[in-house]
Amino acid sequence: MKLVPIALFVLLLAAPAGADGYRWVKGNTHAHTRNSDGNETPRRVMRWYLDHEYQFLVISDHDVVTDVTYLDSDRNDDFILIPGLEITRAQDRLRLHVNALNPKRAVPTAALGRTAAETLQNSVDAALAAGALPQVNHPHWRWSITADDLLALRGVRLFELLNVNRDSNNFAAGGRPGTEELWDSLLSRGMVLYGVASDDTHDYLGDFTLGLAYPGKGWVMVRVTELTADAVCAALQQGDFYASTGVELADVQISDKEYRLAIKPLGDTTYTTRFIGRNGAVLKEDFSLTPAYAFRGDEAYVRAKVVSSAGELAFCQPAFVRK
Ligand SMILES: [Zn+2]
Ligand SMILES: [Zn+2]
């Protein structure tokens, strides 16, 4: 059995944290400010994430890059702002949004295509032309983006598995697949795609009404050796991160033999880890704090999902396995 090159790359990066200088940093790749339809200033948005022990935040206003250089001036606060924008296109009732993370230059305008897939590709290409990392957002908002749309895309590795807003339709119900089922269908068809959790924050003002888009509900934990925008984006691109709504992991290790996690327990909370393969099949269930799965070699891919008794989740990225 051997791993395909992409998995080997993950494997090289997946050494135990600590010993080799890697650490996990917490971040949100999707947040709005008053520069679009968020209800706080960029400075106060940054402050919220800084005060809540995040290490990075991407400000992603609709079709405008918020200048973060004048905000992110403290070199000693263990926190960075990463520039970004949300390329925001609508096609009839469909909402086709792609984040461009860390653009190096102006993001060209993405033209509307004849189809949703074409418009999405134009947006991904616009992000890439600016030297940015593209992230396809909230595919199930208004049920806008299908598995076929995503499968046709070139140049994208990231999608919002969990955009935690009310209207994102993340979970399977009513005979429709959730975003997790969407992910498995794409992975099963050979797409290399990594799942992000994000706040897509709009509402910061402490009004606790259901359905508002608050900060702090969905994030990514990214493995880096240094806290820079380039290092964070490189790790995201390589799938060296996990998505979380509360479950914290001490470590994720993928070798050519096994996929292994270490869960950081909290109080009396209990945990179930499912190792999941082709078409969403559960390959193994493990109740321990150090769940592990030994590769057979014929799985195509294996990913790990942790569910806690508090209803919190962690989604680890797929390892691609070939005989
Ligand atoms: Zn959006
Ligand atoms: Zn948004």
Side-chain angles (χ1 to χ4, degrees):
M1 178 193 98
K2 65 177 172 28
L3 298 169
V4 293
I6 180 110
L8 284 171
F9 202 33
V10 170
L11 172 65
L12 289 171
L13 291 168
D20 44 18
Y22 288 112
R23 66 168 172 145
W24 295 94
V25 294
K26 180 175 181 176
N28 176 28
T29 63
H30 192 165
H32 297 272
T33 76
R34 282 190 199 160
N35 288 342
S36 61
D37 54 353
N39 66 5
E40 262 299 7
T41 63
R43 185 176 300 282
R44 289 179 65 97
V45 169
M46 175 185 79
R47 197 71 228 176
W48 193 95
Y49 284 92
L50 175 58
D51 286 346
H52 290 81
E53 298 181 342
Y54 284 64
Q55 279 76 48
F56 73 89
L57 172 69
V58 180
I59 291 184
S60 57
D61 280 304
H62 293 289
D63 290 317
V64 60
V65 178
T66 291
D67 181 8
V68 300
T69 49
Y70 78 100
L71 293 168
D72 186 17
S73 54
D74 186 344
R75 297 281 149 246
N76 302 309
D77 59 4
D78 196 32
F79 179 88
I80 58 168
L81 281 179
I82 298 175
L85 81 166
E86 185 170 20
I87 301 170
T88 305
R89 295 291 173 271
Q91 199 143 354
D92 302 321
R93 70 177 305 280
L94 305 183
R95 296 293 176 264
L96 309 169
H97 295 184
V98 174
N99 268 12
L101 312 179
N102 198 25
K104 308 292 189 197
R105 46 197 169 269
V107 178
T109 302
L112 275 184
R114 286 163 302 175
T115 62
E118 231 177 75
T119 300
L120 283 169
Q121 187 66 61
N122 291 346
S123 299
V124 166
D125 290 346
L128 294 172
L133 181 59
Q135 166 186 294
V136 175
N137 294 340
H138 45 64
H140 284 177
W141 181 29
R142 296 191 170 200
W143 305 102
S144 292
I145 300 174
T146 66
D148 286 340
D149 293 336
L150 284 166
L151 193 68
L153 282 180
R154 295 292 169 260
V156 69
R157 287 267 176 86
L158 299 178
F159 89 116
E160 283 184 334
L161 170 66
L162 288 178
N163 175 308
V164 297
N165 283 316
R166 163 104 198 19
D167 295 333
S168 297
N169 296 312
N170 294 317
F171 298 101
R176 279 184 185 262
T179 45
E180 187 180 2
E181 289 73 20
L182 173 70
W183 195 21
D184 280 313
S185 99
L186 292 164
L187 293 171
S188 300
R189 292 154 80 184
M191 189 171 185
V192 174
L193 190 65
Y194 303 125
V196 168
S198 86
D199 281 335
D200 192 1
T201 338
H202 289 74
D203 303 297
Y204 301 87
L205 297 179
D207 175 350
F208 303 114
T209 308
L210 275 176
L212 294 185
Y214 301 120
K217 296 194 291 185
W219 59 89
V220 286
M221 298 294 294
V222 184
R223 188 185 347 230
V224 293
T225 52
E226 54 171 13
L227 184 59
T228 64
D230 286 343
V232 166
C233 288
L236 288 169
Q237 170 77 352
Q238 288 152 12
D240 203 13
F241 69 98
Y242 64 92
S244 179
T245 64
V247 173
E248 193 176 353
L249 304 177
D251 203 8
V252 180
Q253 287 179 267
I254 303 167
S255 72
D256 58 350
K257 296 201 166 46
E258 64 173 10
Y259 201 133
R260 178 176 289 276
L261 311 183
I263 297 168
K264 276 192 192 172
L266 196 62
D268 295 327
T269 308
T270 55
Y271 300 87
T272 297
T273 299
R274 295 191 180 94
F275 292 95
I276 294 165
R278 195 187 276 119
N279 298 320
V282 176
L283 305 167
K284 184 186 175 187
E285 210 168 60
D286 191 322
F287 299 153
S288 78
L289 295 176
T290 53
Y293 174 82
F295 297 125
R296 294 188 316 246
D298 61 351
E299 295 95 335
Y301 70 91
V302 178
R303 62 181 182 86
K305 174 187 182 182
V306 187
V307 182
S308 83
S309 55
E312 296 159 332
L313 304 168
F315 287 94
C316 297
Q317 306 307 323
F320 299 93
V321 184
R322 298 280 186 276
K323 262 183 181 167

